[in-house]
Amino acid sequence: MFIKNYREVEAQEVEGVPGVTVRWVITEDDGAPHFAMRIFEVQPGYATPYHPHWFEHEAFVLAGEGKLRSETGEYPLRAGSVVFIPGDEVHQFVNTGDEVLRFICLIPHDWLKDVKKAS
Amino acid sequence: MFIKNYREVEAQEVEGVPGVTVRWVITEDDGAPHFAMRIFEVQPGYATPYHPHWFEHEAFVLAGEGKLRSETGEYPLRAGSVVFIPGDEVHQFVNTGDEVLRFICLIPHDWLKDVKKAS
């Protein structure tokens, strides 16, 4: 096991995405078997890409104000918001406030891409 | 997809564990394919059980002060603490402060118990 403050992990710039950094705080390299935890920070006036991918997001907003853009509309984000985005749904986190928009975002590891629950 | 405030989800008492409630904010029933998100609240003077289980925890402390008891010692917990506990490790979240200890805790779904990554 380990404990660390999320700020101990380097905030990396996201290539091609200005105004957004990510801290990978729990990863497969850490021994996490199924999913990874990241902390994103989006600066005022910036946003994550409007994009889909195979894996789901489970997110929790820690601070700031924003909106989630999706195929079905736009939804407000603030501290305490819980967000579930299924795989393959287009989505975007937009900072609409004056402070940093900070959120936790968890994703499954790549090896789970083609692993399905037996029905 | 969905967005909700975590407080919209009922805080359930945990059977046999006084002073602790849990909100299951993203579940398999919600369509989450791999892992679930819960929000725990531990009242001052209380703790979760000192116990192991097959599944890992990925946790993030939102508020309060406490300690994590484990086989290897005790570690302080406060807002911003990231915790990874591998499966089968004994652990306990203890509130040592005067306010509620609130943390996010994610676990894999049961169907992943015997699913292993191909090596």
Side-chain angles (χ1 to χ4, degrees):
Chain A
M1 55 138 292
F2 64 74
I3 297 185
K4 56 190 170 191
N5 187 284
Y6 79 93
R7 293 183 188 278
E8 295 171 29
V9 178
E10 181 190 7
Q12 302 176 325
E13 296 188 1
V14 181
E15 190 177 336
V17 185
V20 177
T21 57
V22 59
R23 291 177 165 94
W24 286 79
V25 294
I26 304 178
T27 69
E28 194 164 8
D29 286 345
D30 290 322
H34 300 109
F35 52 94
M37 181 186 290
R38 300 94 49 83
I39 312 287
F40 281 85
E41 291 182 329
V42 181
Q43 299 302 316
Y46 289 90
T48 63
Y50 186 62
H51 70 167
H53 39 61
W54 73 267
F55 49 87
E56 75 274 19
H57 280 323
E58 299 193 18
F60 186 96
V61 178
L62 297 171
E65 293 186 1
K67 64 181 179 183
L68 184 73
R69 280 184 68 204
S70 77
E71 298 168 15
T72 55
E74 297 186 350
Y75 305 89
L77 296 171
R78 58 178 64 87
S81 294
V82 171
V83 180
F84 174 65
I85 302 164
D88 299 322
E89 278 200 19
V90 182
H91 59 280
Q92 180 181 41
F93 291 81
V94 183
N95 187 341
T96 59
D98 298 325
E99 308 288 339
V100 66
L101 175 65
R102 181 180 301 116
F103 59 94
I104 301 172
C105 183
L106 295 110
I107 57 172
H109 294 336
D110 280 340
W111 72 270
L112 283 165
K113 182 175 181 179
D114 296 315
V115 177
K116 302 296 179 194
K117 180 181 179 180
S119 56
Chain B
M1 54 139 292
F2 64 73
I3 298 185
K4 55 190 170 192
N5 187 285
Y6 80 93
R7 293 184 188 276
E8 296 171 28
V9 178
E10 181 191 7
Q12 301 176 326
E13 296 187 2
V14 181
E15 191 176 335
V17 185
V20 177
T21 56
V22 58
R23 291 178 164 94
W24 286 79
V25 295
I26 303 177
T27 70
E28 194 163 7
D29 287 345
D30 289 324
H34 300 108
F35 53 94
M37 181 186 290
R38 301 94 49 83
I39 312 289
F40 282 84
E41 292 182 330
V42 181
Q43 298 302 315
Y46 290 90
T48 63
Y50 186 63
H51 70 167
H53 40 61
W54 72 266
F55 49 87
E56 75 274 17
H57 281 322
E58 298 193 18
F60 186 96
V61 178
L62 297 171
E65 293 186 2
K67 64 181 178 184
L68 183 74
R69 279 184 69 205
S70 77
E71 298 167 14
T72 55
E74 297 185 350
Y75 307 88
L77 296 171
R78 57 180 63 88
S81 293
V82 171
V83 181
F84 173 67
I85 302 165
D88 300 321
E89 278 201 18
V90 183
H91 59 280
Q92 179 181 42
F93 291 82
V94 182
N95 186 340
T96 60
D98 299 326
E99 307 289 338
V100 67
L101 174 66
R102 181 179 300 117
F103 59 94
I104 302 173
C105 182
L106 295 110
I107 57 173
H109 294 335
D110 280 340
W111 73 269
L112 283 166
K113 182 175 182 180
D114 297 315
V115 177
K116 303 294 179 197
K117 179 181 179 180
S119 56

